[in-house]
Amino acid sequence: MTQTIKKNERYTVDIIDLSYEGLGVAKIDGYPLFIENALPGEQVEILVVKAGNKFGYGKVENWLTTSPDRQEITSNVLLRTGIAPLAHLSYDQQLVFKQKQVEHVLAKIAKMPEVTVQPTIGMEEPTGYRNKAQIPVRRVEGELVTGFYKKNSHDLVEIEDFFIQDPQIDQAIIKVRDILQRFQVRGYNEEKNEGQIRHIIVRRGHYTHQMMVVLVTRKEKFFKAKEIAEAIHEALPEVVSVIQNINEEKTNVILGEKEKVLFGQSYIEDQLLGKTYRISSKSFYQVNTLQTEVLYQKAIEFAELKNDDVVIDAYSGIGTIGLSIADQVASVYGMEIVPAAIEDAQFNALTNKIENAHYEVGKAETVMKKWQEKGIKPTVLVVDPPRKGLDARFIDSAIEMAPERIVYISCNPATFARDVKLFAEDGYKLEKVQPVDLFPQTHHVECVGLLRKG
Ligand code: SAH
């Protein structure tokens, strides 16, 4: 069939599905259209805003019917910026949507339609949960503006209430922006790669309330930097660390290599499952503290720990998973690619008086191979990789090492399904899968699975 749908045409369509990104899906003679703010079961009048060869995008102009699963949104920018692309769907249905995503990939990619996926564990209060924000700063008509980009663009929309962030962080961003304005710091101009302040990053410990402010600047020379940092501390007494990160490049990557402490320490602390952790600016830390505790508890339950277990905590970050279980097992080995995170993990082991945890910097696939050659024999392997999942070489080494149980924590169901299929081909059985909602109001899906050696 030749495609006849064109940009700027209007249609009335029925929404038949929700894409994995949370867009409504409609079909006209088999041609799929993806539509923001449209839910399955709704009939809508749309304007075609983009029409490619295989699919297009539409914009709702009028709802003829609305779904009973629709909920009020505080602002349309939540959808338009992609901050909270599911904010218009009731929270119960968001949880069902995530469970279905995992079921779908397990059937399609892993070819395991028989595996039961538990209902997603959600939050009681599914807003204001993020403990970290990375906010772009621009100069508009002489004023500094903070907000977020419209999806697939670099148009900044001014936002003060980010809905899913700790409200104290929202407040901090406004205060920091106003201080920068007062000191006449120039906002970054992306096109010209001019100006100074690019991003404001704020992290706040969920339990400790310690705050870190990172000012990402284009130039190392930062006029009145110390006074600005002092002013930030004065306006925000929770701040224990102000850092300047320098990023001179014309790039989408937020952080540069070089950093300077402008005020206080180079880290904040927080707690997880009763243990204390130091978190440096460049270290990964899960953004939803309460749900991370729920996720880790599930992972620990799945691991069926015994006191003679040897555990590998792969992709360890600052050591939070391994150190949570170290006192229940014989030993823990962790590895991670970011040197600052491994320094934090070693420090965290000391702080929590843990002596049986060993950490190494490096790529998981390289370190795993080395440990395999050294003869380390884990009984339990915990993996928590980034979105791209496990490297095939990592899986090969893991299979050689033959742990009895593998607990796989994943932030991307598609690569999770791909990887569990590879483990299954070598005799591991996927026994249980539990999605935990770490990212309410967004389309991001987190799950934990248990693989057992047959
Ligand atoms: N388990 C930790 C971190 C999980 S996030 C926690 O729960 O907090 C994934 C981590 O993998 C990040 O810290 C990232 O820096 C690290 N990472 C990314 N690619 C890696 C690789 N190839 N080898 C080792 N670590 C990697």
Side-chain angles (χ1 to χ4, degrees):
M1 185 200 75
T2 49
Q3 184 259 115
T4 53
I5 313 286
K6 295 202 175 57
K7 187 173 165 172
N8 292 331
E9 290 177 342
R10 290 189 162 77
Y11 293 93
T12 298
V13 295
D14 293 315
I15 306 300
I16 54 171
D17 203 357
L18 211 50
S19 78
Y20 78 96
E21 289 175 308
L23 298 174
V25 184
K27 281 191 179 162
I28 302 174
D29 294 333
Y31 179 82
L33 283 159
F34 295 99
I35 303 149
E36 191 178 282
N37 199 0
L39 293 174
E42 293 183 335
Q43 191 175 55
V44 290
E45 291 174 347
I46 60 158
L47 175 73
V48 177
V49 290
K50 202 171 169 185
N53 282 339
K54 299 215 166 98
F55 57 88
Y57 291 91
K59 180 172 176 271
V60 180
E61 297 208 308
N62 188 27
W63 283 264
L64 299 175
T65 62
T66 52
S67 164
D69 298 329
R70 177 171 282 281
Q71 69 177 8
E72 282 283 319
I73 47 177
T74 51
S75 160
N76 269 326
V77 300
L78 296 174
L79 305 181
R80 224 180 302 143
T81 55
I83 289 176
L86 294 184
H88 59 314
L89 180 63
S90 74
Y91 191 53
D92 281 354
Q93 288 305 308
Q94 291 183 25
L95 299 177
V96 172
F97 168 79
K98 294 183 185 192
Q99 179 187 8
K100 281 191 188 156
Q101 292 283 308
V102 182
E103 284 169 353
H104 177 78
V105 295
L106 283 179
K108 285 272 171 261
I109 300 173
K111 314 282 181 216
M112 297 176 186
E114 71 289 354
V115 174
T116 311
V117 176
Q118 296 300 314
T120 313
I121 303 174
M123 290 189 91
E124 241 162 72
E125 282 288 337
T127 58
Y129 59 84
R130 279 187 67 99
N131 61 28
K132 180 184 181 183
Q134 314 194 92
I135 305 301
V137 190
R138 295 292 172 269
R139 188 180 154 107
V140 180
E141 289 162 12
E143 298 280 310
L144 287 187
V145 175
T146 45
F148 223 74
Y149 299 120
K150 271 191 234 158
K151 253 189 290 185
N152 308 320
S153 89
H154 278 219
D155 301 340
L156 192 80
V157 190
E158 184 168 3
I159 301 173
E160 295 201 336
D161 173 1
F162 286 84
F163 183 55
I164 60 171
Q165 279 165 201
D166 179 339
Q168 296 298 324
I169 293 183
D170 286 359
Q171 288 304 312
I173 287 161
I174 297 169
K175 287 194 177 162
V176 172
R177 180 197 65 198
D178 292 348
I179 289 167
L180 293 168
Q181 175 84 38
R182 182 146 54 80
F183 279 87
Q184 296 178 328
V185 180
R186 287 178 61 208
Y188 183 57
N189 180 323
E190 207 174 13
E191 272 159 30
K192 298 185 184 152
N193 197 29
E194 270 178 13
Q196 176 66 321
I197 181 85
R198 299 172 68 125
H199 277 83
I200 300 170
I201 301 175
V202 179
R203 244 180 190 164
R204 181 174 189 254
H206 176 87
Y207 290 110
T208 61
H209 299 171
Q210 291 180 14
M211 229 186 234
M212 171 186 280
V213 175
V214 181
L215 304 171
V216 184
T217 62
R218 188 178 65 89
K219 286 282 168 219
E220 180 163 356
K221 194 163 177 307
F222 189 8
F223 190 57
K224 297 205 171 163
K226 294 266 181 220
E227 280 132 291
I228 290 170
E230 289 285 344
I232 290 173
H233 171 64
E234 213 152 281
L236 296 160
E238 292 182 344
V239 169
V240 297
S241 168
V242 180
I243 289 176
Q244 178 190 1
N245 176 286
I246 301 132
N247 187 353
E248 300 196 359
E249 307 299 317
K250 193 172 174 172
T251 166
N252 285 337
V253 178
I254 295 177
L255 286 181
E257 272 297 308
K258 193 160 184 191
E259 288 195 345
K260 287 182 180 173
V261 177
L262 299 179
F263 170 86
Q265 322 157 355
S266 60
Y267 58 86
I268 59 164
E269 286 174 330
D270 199 16
Q271 273 131 29
L272 278 175
L273 299 177
K275 294 212 157 59
T276 301
Y277 295 96
R278 168 180 114 173
I279 312 154
S280 300
S281 61
K282 287 187 175 169
S283 298
F284 176 90
Y285 186 61
Q286 292 284 6
V287 295
N288 185 337
T289 310
L290 285 175
Q291 287 297 89
T292 298
E293 294 187 308
V294 173
L295 175 74
Y296 286 3
Q297 269 161 337
K298 270 289 154 196
I300 294 167
E301 179 194 315
F302 281 13
E304 298 171 11
L305 300 172
K306 297 190 288 296
N307 54 20
D308 59 351
D309 273 324
V310 175
V311 181
I312 289 184
D313 175 12
Y315 305 84
S316 67
I318 61 171
T320 44
I321 297 175
L323 297 176
S324 296
I325 58 177
D327 37 24
Q328 300 173 50
V329 299
S331 53
V332 171
Y333 293 85
M335 94 284 269
E336 150 73 46
I337 202 165
V338 174
I342 287 294
E343 278 170 38
D344 287 347
Q346 279 159 343
F347 184 91
N348 292 333
L350 283 177
T351 309
N352 293 294
K353 302 193 168 48
I354 290 165
E355 290 173 356
N356 60 343
H358 319 274
Y359 289 95
E360 205 162 316
V361 183
K363 283 189 180 169
E365 49 276 27
T366 316
V367 177
M368 196 68 170
K369 176 104 186 117
K370 194 170 114 190
W371 287 350
Q372 178 212 331
E373 285 165 359
K374 250 172 108 178
I376 293 172
K377 286 270 169 223
T379 51
V380 176
L381 168 62
V382 181
V383 298
D384 186 8
R387 289 183 57 77
K388 69 174 187 214
L390 301 174
D391 190 288
R393 286 166 294 177
F394 178 93
I395 296 181
D396 289 343
S397 301
I399 287 166
E400 284 291 318
M401 289 158 114
E404 288 158 30
R405 283 148 278 148
I406 300 173
V407 177
Y408 192 142
I409 299 175
S410 164
C411 57
N412 182 353
T415 54
F416 170 75
R418 178 198 70 198
D419 295 343
V420 296
K421 183 165 185 279
L422 292 176
F423 280 117
E425 284 164 8
D426 274 283
Y428 283 86
K429 186 168 184 301
L430 183 62
E431 271 188 15
K432 326 187 224 192
V433 183
Q434 174 67 65
V436 178
D437 194 17
L438 254 60
F439 311 100
Q441 322 296 342
T442 81
H443 64 279
H444 292 289
V445 182
E446 184 93 12
C447 68
V448 50
L450 169 64
L451 290 145
R452 196 189 298 274
K453 195 168 158 56

